[in-house]
Amino acid sequence: MVDPGTIYPSFVEPAPEPGQWSQERLRSLAGELFADAPLVVVSNREPYVHLPDRAKPDGLSWRRPAGGLVSGLDPVLRAVEGGLWVAQGTGEADRLAADAWGRVAVPPDHPSYTLKRVWLHPNEVAGYYEGISNQGLWPLCHVVFLRPRFTIRDWQQYQKVNRRFAEAVLEEVGDGPAYVWVQDYHLCLVPKYLREARPDLTTGIFWHIPWPNPEIFRTCPFGAELLEGLLSADIIGFHIRYHGANFLATVEQTLEARHDRERREIIRSGHTTRVVDIPISVDFDEEEATAQSSETAQWMDEFRNRFKLDRFEHVLLGLDRFDYTKGIPERLMAVDVLLQEHPEYKGKLVFLQVGEMSRIQIAHYQALNDEVEKLAQEINDRHRTADWQPIELSRNPVDRPDLMALFRLADVCVVSSLHDGMNLVAKEYVASRFDEGGVLVLSRFTGAARELPEALLINPYDIRDIAQRLHQALQMPEHQQRDRMRRMRSTVRRNNIYAWAGRFLREMVLGGV
């Protein structure tokens, strides 16, 4: 059994495939794979949210929510002609934008696929999303020493909502064939309900967060039911082999099933499920183009003025939604240690911690917000001068151009996740740096660390280690920054979002051929 604190071994890159993966290559592959049956993506979070806007002729505006899953999958659906995305509708004006069946063409400014929204009652959201998903499975899988919470009432809502999602898929595909790609821990039971109704459908699921070892997973009172739901899929994907190995070991110790270890297959009740590891990534070309855009340049000027950045020699950045797995308090404490051990940085650097609040209905998230507020205040009080403080907090939502502007301005980007399936912030930062400048300080306990060993890798539980790496980053010569960034950019460019999607879809449709 491997402890979550164990340093991951170096990433072993798969044998290169002929040709660079691109949107055009994925579109060509999708034309072959889905010529006779559509691709249906199913997730909790929707890729576009509609909001009321009196200034617009139709009274509507829209935005793309933050988050790795949305930013990763939207380019894929745009590349697959005639695709469908089934997700929960959460925007204030979502019902106004959708038709009577909950459908709306997206992206709103250049439609290329259909979004079907599932409408959930607040009680369903409380049990399915806030309960089982985020107070149960999220802490269970991330192993950050927070006790998971499971209740029968939440589990009943989780089952009910998963069935609702499956029914929405079945309503759209009718009696015809389809390939259904389910996303993440919110929807473990969807493959089961689909197989019960339509065993002829091909179903895959991608698990975007870590999978814990069997001893940890066995504490979940509904573990066997969750595994049975997942094993109803034809293929299950993980970002790294370690998480897939944990899943295989969990099944072996929990259910009666036959294992083909060489092929990484599980055979149960006559059905075979393949387990694959394929790391997700970003749309490198699109991120780079956005980083070079005039809109991003305008946002850079906006942030320079807002935070008075021209006064500083060094700009450090943490960019995450507020979540207790992201190691936000730890990185702030590391800034405190850095300034204590290297007072020469006082007045010369600023640390921007940017990211909107999430899951604020859950007590642990409220507590995190209070902790970060208090910690930032204490550190600022300890080091401030008459016209300077080291930490600036911003909870405003960020869209792509302003996100890229922050990356462009950051001499150092800090990703200190305590545990993460992948973490696309690290890859977005790399993609944004077409100037080949900047230093990435990256937690060893992210999937991204397997692919980006040129980053300064840290143990996020070791505050002094983070502080030392921050000092190393600030002192790193420009030629070394460029060399490290150039190699990381080559990796992210090659292993982009289209490579992830293409490999998984090919595995799902062709069985790995």
Side-chain angles (χ1 to χ4, degrees), residues 25-26 52 107 109 126 258 316 374-375 424:
R25 182 180 175 189
L26 180 62
D109 57 343
R258 185 160 61 87
L316 295 82
K374 181 180 178 183
L375 190 58
L424 292 182

Side-chain angles (χ1 to χ4, degrees), residues 37-227:
L39 172 65
V40 182
V41 166
V42 191
S43 71
N44 172 70
R45 180 170 291 188
E46 60 182 332
Y48 295 93
V49 172
H50 283 91
L51 305 167
D53 189 342
R54 293 180 180 177
K56 298 293 178 66
D58 60 357
L60 299 172
S61 64
W62 58 272
R63 70 179 182 89
R64 195 170 86 172
L69 189 147
V70 166
S71 63
L73 277 169
D74 180 59
V76 174
L77 263 292
R78 286 190 272 121
V80 178
E81 192 170 334
L84 173 71
W85 190 324
V86 178
Q88 181 190 173
T90 58
E92 293 177 45
D94 275 2
R95 288 183 185 269
L96 294 175
D99 66 14
W101 295 272
R103 303 189 199 104
V104 60
V106 292
D109 57 343
H110 189 67
S112 57
Y113 65 93
T114 300
L115 169 62
K116 180 181 175 67
R117 288 168 168 152
V118 177
W119 314 114
L120 300 183
H121 187 276
N123 289 341
E124 293 174 324
V125 174
Y128 143 79
Y129 181 75
E130 297 168 14
I132 291 295
S133 294
N134 290 316
Q135 294 184 72
L137 293 175
W138 183 263
L140 178 79
C141 292
H142 281 87
V143 198
V144 292
F145 313 111
L146 180 68
R147 180 179 177 178
R149 173 183 173 274
F150 296 100
T151 71
I152 288 291
R153 181 176 298 178
D154 289 345
W155 175 243
Q156 291 170 341
Q157 293 288 11
Y158 185 88
Q159 292 172 302
K160 178 181 176 182
V161 171
N162 271 244
R163 192 175 291 279
R164 292 269 304 280
F165 274 87
E167 289 169 350
V169 172
L170 294 169
E171 180 181 292
E172 292 300 314
V173 302
D175 297 328
Y179 295 95
V180 184
W181 190 8
V182 183
Q183 305 295 324
D184 228 354
Y185 61 102
H186 311 90
L187 301 169
C188 295
L189 304 182
V190 169
K192 174 186 176 183
Y193 297 142
L194 290 176
R195 182 159 295 281
E196 288 174 349
R198 289 283 309 279
D200 57 308
L201 294 177
T202 300
T203 306
I205 186 166
F206 202 93
W207 190 267
H208 289 269
I209 63 176
W211 187 278
N213 64 51
E215 287 301 306
I216 291 171
F217 186 83
R218 70 188 294 189
T219 63
C220 175
F222 317 114
E225 293 94 324
L226 290 168
L227 290 175

Side-chain angles (χ1 to χ4, degrees), residues 186-378:
H186 311 90
L187 301 169
C188 295
L189 304 182
V190 169
K192 174 186 176 183
Y193 297 142
L194 290 176
R195 182 159 295 281
E196 288 174 349
R198 289 283 309 279
D200 57 308
L201 294 177
T202 300
T203 306
I205 186 166
F206 202 93
W207 190 267
H208 289 269
I209 63 176
W211 187 278
N213 64 51
E215 287 301 306
I216 291 171
F217 186 83
R218 70 188 294 189
T219 63
C220 175
F222 317 114
E225 293 94 324
L226 290 168
L227 290 175
E228 288 172 354
L230 291 168
L231 291 175
S232 295
D234 299 291
I235 179 171
I236 303 174
F238 296 90
H239 292 305
I240 61 175
R241 184 167 287 263
Y242 170 60
H243 296 152
N246 276 349
F247 175 78
L248 291 167
T250 300
V251 173
E252 189 171 33
Q253 296 185 27
T254 307
L255 300 177
E256 289 291 332
R258 185 160 61 87
H259 296 249
D260 185 330
R261 293 188 175 278
E262 184 175 338
R263 296 174 59 86
R264 302 189 81 203
E265 292 180 343
I266 300 169
I267 302 94
R268 178 174 167 78
S269 302
H271 178 253
T272 300
T273 302
R274 253 177 13 270
V275 177
V276 299
D277 48 283
I278 305 174
I280 197 172
S281 192
V282 298
D283 186 340
F284 184 92
D285 292 338
E286 181 178 287
E287 302 284 16
E288 185 179 60
T290 302
Q292 293 175 322
S293 70
S294 58
E295 192 175 357
T296 292
Q298 292 171 4
W299 272 106
M300 291 175 71
D301 290 337
E302 163 68 21
F303 288 128
R304 284 192 188 98
N305 293 331
R306 184 186 305 178
F307 298 113
K308 301 179 174 59
L309 298 183
D310 288 339
R311 301 171 49 206
F312 306 115
E313 294 180 17
H314 310 288
V315 176
L316 295 82
L317 174 69
L319 199 155
D320 324 77
R321 63 182 176 81
F322 271 59
D323 188 286
Y324 55 81
T325 67
K326 300 302 181 183
I328 297 172
E330 287 77 6
R331 73 182 63 148
L332 298 186
M333 288 187 279
V335 172
D336 185 24
V337 171
L338 175 70
L339 293 172
Q340 291 180 45
E341 296 188 349
H342 297 278
E344 65 270 20
Y345 289 128
K346 290 190 177 186
K348 296 181 180 179
L349 65 74
V350 63
F351 190 98
L352 305 179
Q353 178 56 51
V354 180
E356 59 187 307
M357 288 285 293
S358 69
R359 304 170 187 170
I360 57 176
Q361 306 90 337
I362 300 174
H364 291 298
Y365 288 84
Q366 297 171 2
L368 173 67
N369 180 61
D370 294 342
E371 179 186 4
V372 170
E373 283 271 9
K374 181 180 178 183
L375 190 58
Q377 185 67 47
E378 290 174 351

